[in-house]
Amino acid sequence: MRSHVANAARPPGRNADTAVASLYDTHYRPLTRLAALLASDEAIAEDIVCDAFVAMHGAWRQLRDNDRAVRYLQQTVVRLSRSRLAARGAGEQGTAACPGPGVVGALRSLPAPQREALVLRYYADLPETRIALVMGISTRAVNSHLVYGMSSLQAALGPH
């Protein structure tokens, strides 16, 4: 009887293990690239994403659907990237395998909120409202970070 009640609380076929495996197959690589751009280090990015999936597995009962789970993963990747950068110290830079070393170098020189907003918008292709949710800020703040970030990138890259 008890197992029947426990199973009734979950959607059929969507227990935490099944959900994590499915989401992992679809989102591991894009989240790792996102984390590499934010944390500036490929190895740290992989650790961040693995930690995000472990946390999402533990929170699955509250999430229960893929959209909420993906948003949770994105938020966790951004939060963990911030904390790993802070723990490493702002002066240390890793070596991320990312497109265009000039752009990556310029991204690394930006303040974290500007870098996060630009990466989430132009790499992860998220709308401003979703970026606001992922970063935990208002859409107005997102727009401000995008404007100042683009201006700083243009200045760092020079005329092209």
Side-chain angles (χ1 to χ4, degrees):
M1 180 73 173
R2 182 183 169 122
S3 65
H4 174 70
V5 171
N7 288 334
R10 295 186 193 136
R14 294 303 293 171
N15 66 31
D17 295 339
T18 303
V20 169
S22 174
L23 289 165
Y24 184 89
D25 289 343
T26 306
H27 297 283
Y28 177 80
R29 287 175 102 51
L31 286 169
T32 301
R33 289 189 298 265
L34 175 67
L37 286 169
L38 295 175
S40 302
D41 186 288
E42 186 82 20
I44 290 174
E46 291 173 358
D47 289 344
I48 287 169
V49 173
C50 287
D51 289 349
F53 273 98
V54 168
M56 192 259 309
H57 184 278
W60 182 253
R61 292 189 83 161
Q62 290 77 36
L63 300 172
R64 292 185 176 249
D65 76 37
N66 284 356
D67 288 339
R68 291 177 75 187
V70 170
R71 186 170 55 240
Y72 181 90
L73 287 167
Q74 291 168 334
Q75 290 169 329
T76 304
V77 165
V78 169
R79 182 178 45 78
L80 291 174
S81 296
R82 285 177 190 159
S83 65
R84 299 281 169 92
L85 278 175
R88 261 191 3 211
E92 290 184 42
Q93 297 296 328
T95 55
C98 302
V103 173
V104 172
L107 275 171
R108 289 178 182 165
S109 71
L110 296 177
Q114 291 176 14
R115 181 177 57 252
E116 291 167 5
L118 288 171
V119 168
L120 290 167
R121 178 67 186 106
Y122 297 105
Y123 178 77
D125 200 28
L126 298 180
E128 286 82 2
T129 53
R130 181 75 175 255
I131 295 168
L133 288 171
V134 169
M135 291 179 67
I137 59 176
S138 70
T139 54
R140 190 174 199 181
V142 168
N143 288 324
S144 177
H145 291 314
L146 289 171
V147 168
Y148 287 116
M150 284 302 290
S151 177
S152 297
L153 269 183
Q154 289 171 344
L157 295 172
H160 288 288

